[in-house]
């Protein structure tokens, strides 16, 4: 099995929203904002080569949204998912599985593309798309707080295509995705977000999605205002970070603009950053 990180571009979000109750005087040292209080974030994905399967975890915002939408989030950078795939010798047609940690637009927007005639179609036509039933229902019947993050044009075409499947778990182990040793369900950020764990080169890799957006979010109170249940996030994050520290996991960071992965360690102040690293260097 080979695992690669893929960059799909950068975007900006309000720093206060990203760090919640943490004062700006503190968080601005972690991710300096611009004049509008906006900080730059990555949209990093993971690609797994395993035999005849090519599995993509999340896929960024995509390219089908109009300029008004894109202007809200200041999309920038030269990277796109298709460019990153081509660097590895693949195209979107080669993807066999798309695993979606959750259905917020910056994680699943690349699932669907707009064709020249304006119609929507799957960006990965030969892939099975994986979600889970509880989160899918949460996304297609969104609450007012998250409605702006669950865009129907990103979600409904997947179901209409017939390519959608829901992950089946036995004690956290997925039955149809042997690439994952375990999938942790997390309810703090959104209902039933999935955090997959993989065995790779003698290490455990955890793609932590929005449970831990960046190295700057490692301290427990550093929780996004976007989370629907912030106290639950703190509990879930503490459990994952303690396991990660005890077992020397590599945490793959979806939104950190600089560091693609890190390890953590237990200190007298709690779990803290140990080192940053690249998956290619494992």
């Amino acid at each position: 099995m080979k695992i690669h990180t893929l960059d799909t571009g950068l975007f900006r979000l309000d720093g206060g929203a990203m760090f919640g109750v943490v004062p700006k005087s503190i968080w601005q040292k972690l991710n300096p904002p611009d004049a509008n209080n906006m900080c730059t974030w990555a949209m990093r994905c993971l690609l797994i080569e395993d035999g005849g399967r090519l599995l993509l975890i999340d896929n960024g915002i995509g390219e089908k949204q109009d300029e008004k939408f894109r202007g809200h989030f200041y999309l920038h950078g030269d990277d796109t998912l298709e460019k990153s795939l081509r660097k590895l010798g693949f195209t979107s047609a080669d993807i066999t599985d798309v695993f979606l940690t959750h259905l917020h637009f910056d994680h699943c927007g690349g699932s669907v593309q707009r064709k020249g005639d304006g119609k929507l179609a799957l960006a990965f036509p030969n892939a099975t798309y994986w979600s889970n039933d509880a989160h899918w229902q949460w996304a297609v019947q969104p609450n007012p707080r998250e409605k702006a993050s669950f865009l129907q044009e990103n979600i409904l075409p997947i179901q209409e295509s017939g390519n959608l499947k829901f992950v089946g778990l036995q004690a956290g182990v997925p039955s149809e995705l042997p690439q994952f040793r375990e999938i942790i369900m997390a309810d703090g950020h959104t209902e039933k977000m999935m955090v997959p764990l993989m065995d790779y080169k003698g290490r455990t890799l955890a793609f932590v999605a929005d449970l831990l957006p960046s190295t700057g979010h490692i301290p427990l109170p550093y929780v996004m205002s976007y989370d629907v249940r912030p106290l639950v996030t703190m509990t879930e994050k503490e459990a994952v970070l303690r396991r990660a520290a005890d077992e020397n996991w590599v945490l793959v960071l979806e939104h950190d603009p600089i560091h693609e992965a890190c390890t953590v360690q237990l200190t007298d102040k709690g779990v803290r950053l140990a080192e940053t690293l690249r998956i290619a260097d494992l």
Side-chain angles (χ1 to χ4, degrees), residues 112 120 139-142 147 149-158:
V112 176
L120 297 174
V140 297
Q141 302 175 28
K147 189 174 183 179
S149 293
F150 290 127
L151 306 182
Q152 298 306 292
E153 62 266 32
N154 289 337
I155 300 171
L156 295 183
I158 301 174

Side-chain angles (χ1 to χ4, degrees), residues 13-281:
L13 293 172
D14 184 88
M18 286 297 289
F19 287 102
V21 299
V22 179
K24 182 179 180 180
S25 59
I26 296 176
W27 66 250
Q28 66 181 353
K29 300 172 185 176
L30 303 172
N31 192 328
D34 64 15
N36 293 319
N37 217 48
M38 305 290 277
C39 300
T40 292
W41 304 96
M43 290 177 285
R44 187 174 292 110
C45 307
L46 213 57
L47 185 70
I48 302 174
E49 292 184 69
D50 185 31
R53 296 178 81 166
L54 196 61
L55 190 154
L56 177 66
I57 305 178
D58 286 355
N59 50 55
I61 283 181
E63 301 180 21
K64 67 180 176 298
Q65 302 299 334
D66 61 26
E67 288 304 314
K68 181 179 179 181
F69 178 92
R70 297 171 70 84
H72 291 317
F73 301 101
Y74 303 90
L75 272 70
H76 60 288
D78 296 327
D79 292 313
T80 67
L81 181 54
E82 198 64 40
K83 284 182 181 179
S84 294
L85 283 172
R86 284 202 301 267
K87 287 178 182 178
L88 296 171
F90 301 115
T91 70
S92 56
D94 297 319
I95 303 297
T96 63
D97 300 88
V98 177
F99 180 87
L100 301 169
T101 62
H102 61 299
L103 296 166
H104 286 167
F105 67 84
D106 54 318
H107 295 257
C108 77
S111 299
V112 176
Q113 62 184 356
R114 194 176 301 279
K115 301 173 70 176
D117 59 5
K119 294 182 179 179
L120 297 174
L122 295 187
F124 309 100
N126 301 315
T128 298
Y129 286 67
W130 297 92
S131 182
N132 68 76
D133 181 65
H135 181 67
W136 189 270
Q137 297 307 318
W138 184 268
V140 297
Q141 302 175 28
N143 61 76
R145 181 182 176 89
E146 287 184 279
K147 189 174 183 179
S149 293
F150 290 127
L151 306 182
Q152 298 306 292
E153 62 266 32
N154 289 337
I155 300 171
L156 295 183
I158 301 174
Q159 187 171 41
E160 292 165 357
S161 72
N163 288 29
L164 174 66
K165 284 190 177 182
F166 294 142
V167 174
L169 298 177
Q170 292 277 344
V173 179
S175 56
E176 297 182 88
L177 293 169
Q179 294 77 19
F180 299 148
R181 186 185 78 202
E182 178 185 347
I183 294 175
I184 298 170
M185 293 290 191
D187 296 309
H189 179 61
T190 187
E191 182 77 5
K192 296 294 180 288
M193 181 179 71
M194 298 189 286
V195 175
L197 273 57
M198 296 142 272
D199 293 320
Y200 188 58
K201 295 187 176 181
R203 305 288 293 273
T204 296
L205 268 62
F207 190 81
V208 285
D210 280 345
L211 183 63
L212 189 75
S214 73
T215 55
H217 289 84
I218 292 174
L220 290 185
Y222 290 55
V223 172
M224 296 185 291
S225 295
Y226 298 112
D227 290 12
V228 296
R229 305 179 185 102
L231 294 180
V232 173
T233 293
M234 290 176 65
T235 300
E236 293 170 339
K237 186 168 73 169
E238 181 176 28
V240 167
L241 287 177
R242 284 188 172 272
R243 284 184 68 185
D246 290 342
E247 301 172 24
N248 196 27
W249 290 1
V250 175
L251 304 176
V252 183
L253 305 166
E254 192 154 5
H255 290 311
D256 194 302
I258 299 172
H259 308 296
E260 67 177 52
C262 72
T263 60
V264 292
Q265 60 188 337
L266 188 61
T267 73
D268 57 0
K269 294 183 178 180
V271 177
R272 291 293 186 268
L273 177 69
E275 64 173 343
T276 59
L277 63 156
R278 297 172 65 249
I279 302 304
D281 293 334

